[in-house]
Amino acid sequence: MTYIVTVEVGLPGGAAELGPLQRVGAVALLEDGFRAVDTARAPADLRVDLVDSVVAVHPRGALLKVVVGAPALEAAERAVRFLVEGLLERSELLADWPIERCEVVLHSKAALESLEAAEGPDAPPADPAARKARHSEPPARADAGIGYDEDAEARGARRQMLGLAGELRAFPPAVFGGRAEEDARLAAGALVWATGVLVDQLFEDVQTLSEEDTTVAECDSPLWHLQALPARYALQYDSLFARRFLVTVIALTTRFTDGTFEHLSCVAEELALKLLLDEVHVALETFGLLADEVAAALATFAGTVYEDLDHAWLYDDSMDGIHESPVGDALAVSPMRCAQWFTPFDKDRHVHPYAAGERDAD
């Protein structure tokens, strides 16, 4: 089976950003390194077919897409990490560059195909949800043959998140509650990091619902995020809803990073922020970076951005219908019906045109 393995390689700690000519040189070294790879010389359990590679170098490192033929996802990831480690070590100028990420992000159907291909005592769990959870965790040190260093992985993730902090342009450090500068920066960078993960995985959820022509409630394949929306409306989460929600997530997080965010515009944006914060906590916990001060900074951020927590009632079945009751009127509760989630709270707030209008499914 063919897998596309994403590898992120960073600069050594303290290194200055790469200039234009240095980036050109790094591309040449990496591409030449891939052309010189002889996978037949790798240990038997790390031997795969190298099909193709794509190299992109940026000021803080490189992004590699490595296409390999392998018997299962786990074998592809282990082999590519071994391959890239060797490639870097053989180049004097790249030898100190750490691997910050090496993984396959599969569509759920491809994950099931990989599962069927895996055999032996190290085969992944049979349950698709358990398999997904396993791949959300960092590699175990038991895969020691490839020189995996959990602490180095965590340091690399921390460095990358801190480097992303400046991308959260809509929020000054004070929005994180006056914590130590590095704690606030780590929280900010983790939000940007998690944005990319959330958007990628929501694209996969949209694809899954479209291919199966079903709803979240009736979907047989595992989903990344849409099943975390309020369960009472799961029969209404079809592929059209999923596309509208994805557009809402992109529109909201774009305002976070381009500096134009003022306030949440609708219930869907409140729920989108909840999923984003959940993903932030997963990312930080995965690398052991969710210290108490960072968690407190994220809680302060959430408390500032949320104007109220009405959306939390959607997860409490005992509150179903409160928005249409005298109590709801007195409390000015936000619209709670699923059909109203993409409606702006007032005339001064706006949602993306695709998400705002009722549209026919393609």
Side-chain angles (χ1 to χ4, degrees), residues 198 229 244-245 247-256 261-277 305-307 311 340-345 349-352 355:
L198 178 62
L229 293 174
R244 294 173 72 192
F245 189 77
V247 167
T248 298
V249 170
I250 293 172
L252 173 63
T253 53
T254 297
R255 303 205 308 277
F256 283 2
F261 177 81
E262 295 181 359
H263 36 55
L264 299 172
S265 295
C266 60
V267 172
E269 287 196 351
E270 293 180 335
L271 294 170
L273 179 56
K274 179 186 183 302
L275 295 192
L276 176 61
L277 289 167
V305 178
Y306 281 126
E307 296 172 43
H311 69 278
Q340 298 173 296
W341 289 359
F342 300 96
T343 301
F345 289 137
R349 310 195 193 202
H350 307 280
V351 299
H352 192 282

Side-chain angles (χ1 to χ4, degrees), residues 39 42-48 75 78-80 82 145-146:
T39 58
D45 61 332
L46 297 173
R47 212 168 286 162
V48 294
R78 289 196 299 265
V80 169
F82 176 82
I146 58 173

Side-chain angles (χ1 to χ4, degrees), residues 211-222:
E211 289 182 351
E212 297 194 8
D213 190 21
T214 189
T215 66
V216 168
E218 301 164 320
C219 186
D220 293 328
S221 298

Side-chain angles (χ1 to χ4, degrees), residues 69-142:
L73 179 150
E74 292 80 6
E77 290 180 339
R78 289 196 299 265
V80 169
R81 180 179 283 273
F82 176 82
L83 184 158
V84 174
E85 284 178 342
L87 185 157
L88 296 174
E89 289 172 1
R90 288 192 295 273
S91 171
E92 181 179 350
L93 297 177
L94 305 177
D96 294 332
W97 286 29
I99 295 177
E100 297 174 346
R101 176 189 176 206
C102 181
E103 65 177 353
V104 175
V105 178
L106 280 177
H107 181 268
S108 55
K109 286 191 174 180
L112 292 176
E113 291 177 15
S114 172
L115 172 61
E116 292 168 357
E119 298 177 351
D122 296 325
D127 176 60
R131 182 179 174 85
K132 186 186 81 172
R134 172 169 165 175
H135 293 310
S136 297
E137 300 172 355
R141 293 187 73 96

